[in-house]
Amino acid sequence: MSRVSCGAVALSLLALGACDRVKPEAPGTKPMATGDVQAAALASYVKPGDQDQYYLFYSGGHSGQVFVAGVPSMRHIFTIPVFTPYPGTGYGYDEESKAMLGDFTWGDVHHPAASKTAGDYDGRWLFVNDNANNRIARIDLRDLKTRQILGPIPNTMGNHGSSMVTENTEYALVATRFSVPMGQAYAPIEEYATKYKGAVSGIRIDSATGTMSLGWQIMTPPFNWDLGATGKGPSVNWAFWTSYNTERATGKLETTSTQKDRDYVAVVNWTAAASAAAAGTGIAMVSGVPVIDPAKTPGVMYLLPCGKSPHGVDVDPSGEYVICSGKLQPTSTVFSFAKIQDAIARKSFTGSEDGIPVLKYEDAMVMEVPVGLGPLHTQFDGKGYAYTSLFVESAIAKWKLPPYAAGADPKAMVVDKIPVQFNVGHLVTAHGDTRHPKGDWLVAMNKMSKGRSIKTGPSIPESSQLIDITGEGKMKMVYEAYTEPEPHFAQLIHKDVLKNTIEFYPKAESHHKHAIWAASDAKVTRNAARRTVEGTVFAIRTYFEPGRIQVQEGDTVILHITNAEQARDEIHGFGLVTFDKNVVIDPGETKTLKFVARKSGVYPYYCTNFCSALHQEMQGYLEVVPRGTPLALYQNGTGLMRAPAEGRRAMQADGPHADHAGAGK
Ligand code: RUQ
Ligand code: CUA
């Protein structure tokens, strides 16, 4: 290893600590010129106290979370737990979030999709899929919290082709990656080609609340649906999914599913599907969902041949061009939506698959652009260019979208290429899947970083690289950041879109039936017959009320804890020592903690989130009284715990509580 020589760079970069950087061991990039280093450093530098321009919401893959970074700094600023418990925010420990998670402890988040109005991000919700347990979740962008998990979605195994939001967030459209027999039935794998089915599904979204419900499904041949895109503008009523294994093969797919030169893009009219489901004709109910057989419902689905084993499909900002890239062929194919419609109108079909008409490739194709090796996903800048990630080549290709002059040379459409480190999967541009991309930043989410970071043992962090795409010609590498496993797609959203994020939960809006707003309202009651203790707990800087809770060994305890603060970031936690419980309550929030007091003893509870100078003093005691011992704090050993104010005075007399002054009473 050798030190990067500082020289002239020192001038402006000393302050950034650039001189001690260690040269990467990994191959791949030409060293940047000094001037470029300076320009790049300044472009991504957000000085302490300044704020980023963009939110990068990137999927956390099998961590089950969504990570939030600021762009251009690329600093990780927040984690939104979705399918996985996360003690940092107490997610998965309170009854409300436990109910959402059900019995699952993880998920596999691949594709976040922000809600849209007229094809542009509206800052309301973020939908993310769970590829592992067939679910879809809604994050509220008002508070950046997971608010709903829907699923498992029936007739779906591997909810990968998800989540695609329609232009006005009427639906999140999803597709199953694996095909299985419908209705949770069993059929041996030998019957794969005939008895197994795929499905694309419409998840309805309530326009006022964002609440998701199952709309309808379209039964498909047993292809593997990969990734999708919703239309916009002229293609607004349509959605597209790529497939692999249109061979309907089993066994070692690396050979059995790569026989054909072309697989298909599903071309789906989701408004026609919705009407068919509403009309009910030709619909079979399977596992409680209206399932449309496209063979019996003409007009809902067509198949368009596309380059071998395609992965990504993307629709350009105008909604006219559909770009599909075959992993095993070095081109991105541009299709024209108008030409697709024309071919459908003329019934120019080459055949059918299980009754679904197959379009003619040549009818719809505009150009095969030779972007490079292993093209996966495409994003846009709103200035007439597309950016395609090249997995095998480990690069991003920038290329020109149509219209093309007659006889234009496809090779000449590729205007720039930039290497990334290494093996990019997804990429995202600012507002890149909307009608109005911003055209300034691109983030390459690389699958491997191969020794770019300091050593972290056998497993090394994933790398994400920030690329400046403002220039007319060349892209510029600006910054490299690392993240938890494992980013797939992301949404890069301007901060102004999220201007309605809240600072605390207003007391006036609290609908929790157990919320309390004064220490004197805290109370704990015990039902001796049911061996249940239920209470309301008041949390504020810097005490809990009650500071002492008595239960009997074996009791089930339910505590509704309200953080009565009405100030931003005044968060209190409720950690119960040895109980494996940590509830974190944001200002104005009420959460429910439930547990069984199995073993007698005294168990402190304490605030887990540093909230003030007396944070450490914010504690109390759960007394678990041995069976047969009377519970002194309750009238008759049952009923209501003694008056909270008294209880607290007693605590002050014999406990370590110091100062409750200024605690918002
Ligand atoms: S996939 S690397 Cu799960 Cu989105 Cu393309
Ligand atoms: Cu409340 Cu720390």
Side-chain angles (χ1 to χ4, degrees), residues 110-111 160 227 311 376-377 425-426 447 488-489:
H110 279 228
H111 309 113
H160 188 264
L227 193 52
H311 183 51
L376 297 181
H377 301 285
H426 275 278
K447 295 296 184 192
H488 293 261
F489 191 42

Side-chain angles (χ1 to χ4, degrees), residues 510-527:
S510 169
H511 298 303
H512 200 291
K513 68 171 189 272
H514 297 292
I516 53 169
W517 301 98
S520 54
D521 289 334
K523 65 168 186 246
V524 177
T525 54
R526 180 165 190 273
N527 184 320

